[in-house]
Each structure stands twice: as structure tokens, then as C-alpha cells.
Amino acid sequence: MKITNARVIVTCPGRNFVTLKIETDEGLHGIGDATLNGREKAVVAYLEDHVIPVLIGKEANRIEDIWQYLYRGAYWRRGPVTMSAIAAVDTALWDIKGKAANMPVYELLGGASREGVLVYGHANGADIEETTDAVGRYIELGYKAIRAQSGVPGVKGAYGVGRGDLYYEPADGTLPTETLWNTSAYLNFAPQLFDRLRRDHGNEVELLHDVHHRLTPIEAGRLGKSLEPYRLFWMEDCTPAENQEAFKLVRQHTVTPLAVGEIFNSIHDCRELIQNQLIDYIRTTVVHAGGITHLRQIAALASLYQVRTGSHGATDLSPACMGAALHFDLWVPNFGIQEYMRHTPETDEVFPHSYSFKDGYLHPGTSPGIGVDIDETLAAKYPYDPKQLPVARLEDGTMWNW
Ligand code: EZ4
Ligand code: CO
């Protein structure tokens, strides 16, 4: 089965998505997500100028060989642009292989290891009152695990506070929105938020929190310690992870479980954190970390150290990524949890999919392949709308981590 054609589809049904569609001489096609939020066009150019020309005529069944060809063949290894482009090819080829075998991708990987994929939803609000109400609504919807983010008194632009709680989308400006950050106000506030959430909602629901790279290692240790009474499922991205040794300091001070990795794109980014058991959950996902082929290597490494998966699943990851991730999650032995932010109804229409939510779990469905397609006619009605992620500064003007 030869690859005869491949093209990139850019669409903006509420937010921008980049999708690679690969066609074969047997009439089967597959799709893969290539969306890199705020940097979409870089991946489009990478695919169109450098990847698609070498795909034409290649054997579509040779997923591993094509992965190695694109990875080694670039000479310039790793990086989010390269690895998102490779991921799109890889996902589309797994989709095609599933269709050729008439099996859902989780069957090709080794079959289901569980009945459903535990997901966490995003509850957020401008203050504690709004946030606790939002958590209550997610519990009513059936969620067993909920990420809680709240506006912080005195902080203009705390991370994760949406406009309306269902479809939070941070990439909101043609030029980056400037937000302000105040670490001491946040460190003072966060334990109050979780104290209130436990008092209002009890101990059964799993609560998660994303620090979004804002703290230094010792501040992260202090936050983790102060949140211990509220038994978080995890504290995410508590400090930037370029310097992975920094997590030793965090670990020395807290037993709050740690999750890192949504901005990682290769097993080499994860290796030190995993091998030194400095994290509990690895958050790499299909689209930004080289596809299913690479993600399973990361998961295998993690399994040696009892680190479990907790893949990124924000709205900027398209339904094509979500579908592929759910097949992976249903199979992977050391699964932990999957992030799940609902897409807008317009996005769901552009990407018809077989995955479904029930009682706090997602199931990828049993359609052959990844179970997600793209309606190209509908996609063409939503032209690309350039948007960038915000930036953050401290109150004295110093650039900080958004
Ligand atoms: O800010 O995906 O855990 N989820 C997150 C996300 C990221 C966005 C960036 O594009 O941190 O909401
Ligand atoms: Co995050």
C-alpha cells in the first residue's frame, strides 16, 4: 500500500488546528494532528516543504521505518516543530494501518488494558466562589477527577482562568496578551482554595492543579508541602523543567505527586526526571512528542520506575490527537490519567469522532483506525485566524514564565 498523496489542512472552528491527511493507492486515508499552539504555520511549512515530498511513494505500512527516516533524516533532531510534524505522519499511518486491519488502534497496540480512560476536566473561576461552583458542576457531569484553577486576589492574569468554564482557550491575541504575576499572593492563596474545595466537595473526588512553570524550586517545594493536607492527585509543572535536577529539591520537601512534560517532545527530555524518580506522571502526548511510536517508548521507560502517564489534552490538541491518545491510554500498561478539555461544538463537527464520555471515563470507540476524521468541506469554512499565547511579567516589569 503506497502513499499517493498527503496534504495539510488548516482550519479554525473556534481555534486553529493543523491536520495532516495521508492518502494511499488502496483508497484508505488517515489523519494526524500537527497543531502547535501559537506556532501553527511553522509546522505547516515543515510538513509541506520538507516532509510531504519524501512521503509520496513510500510504503504506508512501514510506520517504524518512516518514523526513523524522518527523525534521523532531518539531521536536526528533536524540537517541537520537527516532533509535531513527525507525530502527524505517525498518527495518520497508525490510522491507515488500523483501517487496513479493520481494527481500532488499541487492538494493534496489544488490546485494551482497562474498560475506559479516566479523564480530568478543567474547573476554573475568577475567585474561590466561582471555582468551587465550577468543581460542583463537573462532579454533576460525572467527572471523577477535576483540575481546579482560580483567579488570585491581587494578581492580574493568574493562569487558567477562562471566559466561561467549558471552553477555556489561552491563545487569545493576534499579539501576545500581557499578564502580571505575583508569586507570594499565589502561594498564600493556593492552600485556601484547596481547603475550601475539600470542605465543599469531600475527599472522594480527585483534585489536580497546574502551576504552569511559575515557581522556583524552593517555592514549588513550599507549595507542595502546603497542599499536602488536601491530597492532590498531582501538582503540575511546578517549576520549569529544563534543569531537571531542580526537582530533587522539590522532592526533598513534599510528597504531593508531581506531573511534568506537556512541553517535552522527546524521550531525552523525560529521561532524567523518570530515571531519578523525580516525577510521578509524565505528560507528553501524541502530537508534540513524535506520535504513538515515540510515546510508547517514553511510557516503557516510565514503567521501569513506576511513573505513570498523564497525557496533555488541552483544547489546542485537536480531536485527531485526542482520538489517538485514547487508543494509547486504553492500552498502555502504566496509564495514570488523561487530560480532557471539551472542544467547541464547531470543532466536534469538523472532526467527526467515535470517542465518547461516560461517568468520568472516555472510550475511543471501536471504529477501525483512530476513529476520528476531518470534514474538509466544513473545515474550509473556518479560515486560519492568527493567535498567540500570552506572556507574563512580574509587577516590576521583569519577564516571567507564562
Ligand atoms: O497552557 O495547552 O495542562 N494544560 C495546559 C494547557 C496549556 C496549553 C498551551 O497551548 O497547561 O492549557
Ligand atoms: Co499544563
Side-chain angles (χ1 to χ4, degrees):
M1 182 168 47
K2 295 257 188 282
I3 296 172
T4 49
N5 191 23
R7 63 181 171 282
V8 180
I9 303 154
V10 182
T11 182
C12 186
R15 67 153 358 279
N16 294 306
F17 293 112
V18 177
T19 308
L20 178 70
K21 180 167 179 173
I22 297 181
E23 293 168 341
T24 67
D25 59 1
E26 293 188 12
L28 294 176
H29 74 269
I31 65 165
D33 184 19
T35 309
L36 187 58
N37 202 8
R39 295 292 184 270
E40 295 87 2
K41 287 289 188 75
V43 189
V44 174
Y46 194 105
L47 283 166
E48 288 182 342
D49 297 346
H50 311 295
V51 173
I52 290 177
V54 307
L55 285 180
I56 308 301
K58 281 209 163 41
E59 182 55 55
N61 281 318
R62 296 194 172 190
I63 300 178
E64 189 69 48
D65 183 64
I66 291 176
W67 195 98
Q68 297 292 335
Y69 186 98
L70 294 174
Y71 185 80
R72 292 168 196 268
Y75 185 65
W76 312 105
R77 295 182 183 203
R78 304 158 61 184
V81 176
T82 296
M83 297 305 276
S84 299
I86 294 177
V89 175
D90 186 76
T91 307
L93 294 178
W94 278 100
D95 192 21
I96 290 169
K97 193 182 275 298
K99 288 172 180 171
N102 198 26
M103 282 182 190
V105 164
Y106 70 80
E107 292 290 3
L108 301 181
L109 290 169
S113 299
R114 52 197 58 83
E115 305 311 316
V117 172
L118 177 69
V119 296
Y120 69 92
H122 280 216
N124 56 70
D127 54 26
I128 291 191
E129 293 304 324
E130 273 188 37
T131 306
T132 190
D133 287 352
V135 168
R137 284 195 294 279
Y138 272 88
I139 292 172
E140 278 167 27
L141 289 168
Y143 285 80
K144 312 274 184 254
I146 301 161
R147 184 187 100 156
Q149 307 292 138
S150 169
V152 178
V155 178
K156 253 178 64 197
Y159 163 79
V161 183
R163 299 148 294 171
D165 63 334
L166 286 188
Y167 304 118
Y168 165 69
E169 173 46 63
D172 59 0
T174 315
L175 292 174
T177 303
E178 297 232 350
T179 63
L180 284 182
W181 179 249
N182 179 328
T183 295
S184 57
Y186 169 74
L187 286 178
N188 194 31
F189 173 78
Q192 295 172 35
L193 170 66
F194 284 93
D195 179 57
R196 175 68 187 275
L197 295 180
R198 280 295 177 217
R199 278 193 282 123
D200 286 359
H201 305 291
N203 278 324
E204 210 171 300
V205 64
E206 298 288 3
L207 293 175
L208 299 83
H209 184 63
D210 192 346
V211 186
H212 223 253
H213 325 273
R214 301 287 169 100
L215 301 178
T216 65
I218 196 69
E219 290 162 353
R222 185 176 138 207
L223 176 65
K225 196 181 217 172
S226 71
L227 293 176
E228 278 169 16
Y230 315 113
R231 219 182 34 79
L232 261 58
F233 186 91
W234 78 34
M235 175 169 86
E236 174 183 338
D237 287 335
C238 59
T239 192
E242 288 101 328
N243 168 18
Q244 307 202 347
E245 273 207 18
F247 282 78
K248 284 188 187 155
L249 192 62
V250 184
R251 277 288 207 218
Q252 277 164 16
H253 294 286
T254 183
V255 293
T256 294
L258 304 178
V260 175
E262 70 181 36
I263 67 170
F264 290 175
N265 50 72
S266 133
I267 195 168
H268 305 286
D269 300 328
C270 313
R271 193 171 50 85
E272 241 185 279
L273 285 178
I274 291 174
Q275 288 184 333
N276 294 315
Q277 294 179 253
L278 296 176
I279 55 172
D280 302 281
Y281 296 92
I282 183 71
R283 285 187 38 74
T284 40
T285 192
V286 174
V287 58
H288 299 137
I292 290 172
T293 296
H294 196 59
L295 204 59
R296 69 177 174 182
Q297 293 195 328
I298 295 174
L301 175 67
S303 75
L304 303 182
Y305 301 91
Q306 299 187 55
V307 172
R308 294 190 285 162
T309 66
S311 287
H312 189 201
T315 40
D316 47 296
L317 284 58
S318 93
C321 174
M322 181 54 72
L326 291 171
H327 287 273
F328 185 82
D329 294 338
L330 198 69
W331 156 74
V332 70
N334 49 325
F335 171 74
I337 199 165
Q338 167 71 51
E339 183 179 22
Y340 173 49
M341 281 173 83
R342 281 168 295 189
H343 290 108
T344 60
E346 293 80 9
T347 298
D348 283 338
E349 259 184 342
V350 168
F351 294 93
H353 52 265
S354 66
Y355 60 79
S356 59
F357 175 86
K358 197 172 162 238
D359 296 333
Y361 292 82
L362 275 169
H363 193 285
T366 53
S367 309
I370 62 168
V372 182
D373 212 336
I374 185 164
D375 180 335
E376 289 189 71
T377 316
L378 200 53
K381 292 191 181 148
Y382 300 105
Y384 177 64
D385 181 15
K387 285 283 192 309
Q388 298 205 44
L389 287 167
V391 294
R393 290 186 188 275
L394 302 182
E395 279 163 346
D396 69 355
T398 308
M399 274 301 294
W400 201 243
N401 315 312
W402 175 72

